[in-house]
Amino acid sequence: MNDLGELDRPGTPAGPGTPAGQGASEAPSEKAPGPAATASPTPEPAADLRPSGKREPAAGCGPSVTQGPAAGCGPSVAQGSAADRESASPRRGADPVKALMHRHRELCERAVDPLEIAAGLEAHGITERTAARFRHRDVFSLAEEMYARVTRDGDAPVSPAPTAPRARADWVLLTLLPGALCAGAVTAAHLTHGRTRLIAVAAGILAVGLALRAALRRGPLNRTDHTAPRGSALWISWLVAYSVLGDGLLHSAVAGGPDGPPTGTADGPWPLTAAPVLALALACAPAAWTAHLFTARGRRRLAASRGLEDFAAAVRPLLLGTVVLFLGALAGLLALCAAALGEPAGYAEVLALGALLFIARLLATHGFPYAPAVVLTATATVQAAALATVFTARLPGLGFLGIPVETLVTLWGAGSVPTLACGAGALALLVHATRKLTRASAHAPPSPTR
């Protein structure tokens, strides 16, 4: 009935059977004054208008009593409002923000501040360009209007503000377990010989793997996204194994070897280095603490910020400081392990690998697991290809394949290959993290249903 409101104005037909425009043209033509001139004209039946063919309703006619809108008339009220919601430039009288609030009603009702709505809109793909279509300069300005206009139930409990997670004793102890078991395995390998050493090493690898899996399922290193691509654990195992066996194998292969299987010592035909893997296992605890620090400070910035740009500017140095803090702890542990085992430290190689693994896990725990999976796969492939080209170059006519790797090993040593591969992967993930982990949606607290 709202579309028919214009029929009540002067100069319009008084009833549905009167043609549009006729009431205004015929009223002045009445010459005989009297009661008939002042009385309301009796509307003619619609059936009397059809045979003549001269008094058909004009375009934009109202609906009939029995059949609804006539053919060729405009859309109904419901159809018009749906078109307004879908239009990029809403017509006069439309409320695009109200339509957006209806689509994100649950987000608006449970939000405790405009920044939480802005984070949710950002996670759903709302950009600055999209906000301009809603007559706002940015996403945060749009979120402020949505937060101010949302209707909340006074009896419903208000969601608490985002708070920083607290350290728990269970994950603190679990992060210390891989380093302790790895230290025991390395000690057993140095004190045993022959078959007993092989059994001790195999048991140590199994124990460390199970402890690491348990540590990654609790605390700040836990990945709550279960839709992540699988297979990353295989490439991580390859990268860690290469830090133990790869350098010695590559050095022996360039020199024409190896002449036999590894003996478990650093001075054998296939040298092994246990200091890198021991330092990485011990660094599981610093990794968890620095990740916890990043999450806690990020939540505090989220609660205190008044805009998305301000939040990103505050979190970016926090991210870089977290990575530097972890690398400093890893360098200290590596120095202690190398001194205790009497092995070369290899700082560049181990720090590059540690940065790669730490940033990859940091991205995965905040809901971005796909880029780390791709980078880890590419890094492991590069290391495997470097070894394969050296051995393939021994075949007749394929000596040119090993020239790049042999030149690199001759100039900078066998550790240059994993250093360049892991360093490039870590740098790529760091650039990616500065874009993803500085978003407000990456630091939103998990929903209670999880």
Side-chain angles (χ1 to χ4, degrees):
M1 297 299 295
N2 295 333
D3 290 345
L4 306 181
E6 296 182 356
L7 300 180
D8 296 333
R9 295 183 300 179
T12 57
T18 305
Q22 187 172 348
S25 61
E26 292 182 356
S29 63
E30 298 290 340
K31 296 181 179 180
T38 59
S40 300
T42 303
E44 298 182 64
D48 296 337
L49 302 178
R50 293 191 186 97
S52 63
K54 298 180 181 179
R55 302 174 68 181
E56 292 292 330
C61 61
S64 65
V65 176
T66 59
Q67 297 180 352
C73 294
S76 64
V77 176
Q79 293 173 344
S81 61
D84 290 343
R85 288 197 301 267
E86 296 176 359
S87 175
S89 299
R91 295 193 296 269
R92 183 181 61 184
D95 189 352
V97 179
K98 184 177 181 181
L100 185 65
M101 291 174 61
H102 179 72
R103 288 195 294 269
H104 301 281
R105 179 171 54 87
E106 183 179 356
L107 172 65
C108 295
E109 290 177 351
R110 73 167 186 263
V112 296
D113 54 18
L115 189 60
E116 188 173 347
I117 298 181
L121 295 177
E122 186 185 43
H124 284 84
I126 303 296
T127 61
E128 307 294 331
R129 182 176 180 182
T130 310
R133 291 166 47 187
F134 293 93
R135 306 183 183 99
H136 283 272
R137 65 182 184 275
D138 53 22
V139 179
F140 186 73
S141 174
L142 176 61
E144 284 184 328
E145 179 181 351
M146 295 173 66
Y147 181 78
R149 294 177 57 180
V150 67
T151 301
R152 295 178 175 85
D153 187 2
D155 299 332
V158 181
S159 302
T163 56
R166 296 182 179 181
R168 296 174 51 184
D170 56 350
W171 67 259
V172 171
L173 296 177
L174 286 175
T175 55
L176 297 173
L177 190 59
L181 293 178
C182 187
V186 171
T187 303
H190 279 76
L191 297 178
T192 55
H193 303 278
R195 183 175 298 179
T196 307
R197 173 179 291 176
L198 293 178
I199 296 175
V201 170
I205 292 175
L206 180 61
V208 172
L210 293 177
L212 186 61
R213 181 179 181 182
L216 296 180
R217 289 180 177 270
R218 296 289 186 275
L221 296 179
N222 178 31
R223 187 182 67 193
T224 57
D225 185 8
H226 300 288
T227 63
R230 301 185 181 274
S232 299
L234 176 62
W235 302 118
I236 293 175
S237 301
W238 165 267
L239 294 173
V240 175
Y242 189 96
S243 65
V244 179
L245 303 169
D247 289 349
L249 178 59
L250 182 59
H251 186 273
S252 300
V254 171
D259 298 330
T263 60
T265 61
D267 54 355
W270 186 345
L272 300 182
T273 54
V277 68
L278 179 58
L280 291 173
L282 293 173
C284 184
W289 278 106
T290 51
H292 170 75
L293 177 64
F294 177 73
T295 303
R297 294 294 180 87
R299 296 276 177 85
R300 292 172 184 171
R301 297 288 193 276
L302 181 62
S305 297
R306 295 300 303 165
L308 298 178
E309 295 181 358
D310 296 339
F311 176 77
V315 173
R316 191 173 293 110
L318 176 62
L319 172 63
L320 298 178
T322 301
V323 175
V324 171
L325 182 61
F326 168 74
L327 293 180
L330 178 59
L333 292 173
L334 180 60
L336 294 176
C337 294
L341 299 177
E343 297 177 357
Y347 289 102
E349 175 184 355
V350 179
L351 291 180
L353 176 59
L356 174 64
L357 298 179
F358 178 71
I359 300 174
R361 193 66 191 182
L362 206 60
L363 282 167
T365 55
H366 286 81
F368 304 99
Y370 294 97
V374 173
V375 173
L376 290 173
T377 303
T379 304
T381 303
V382 169
Q383 292 184 353
L387 286 172
T389 54
V390 175
F391 287 103
T392 305
R394 297 180 181 181
L395 298 177
L398 299 178
F400 64 94
L401 294 177
I403 294 178
V405 177
E406 292 177 359
T407 304
L408 192 62
V409 171
T410 303
L411 292 177
W412 294 333
S416 59
V417 173
T419 299
L420 293 177
C422 296
L427 183 60
L429 285 184
L430 183 60
V431 173
H432 184 70
T434 55
R435 295 177 57 249
K436 296 297 185 181
L437 297 185
T438 55
R439 294 181 177 181
S441 56
H443 298 266
S447 60
T449 57
R450 287 186 180 179

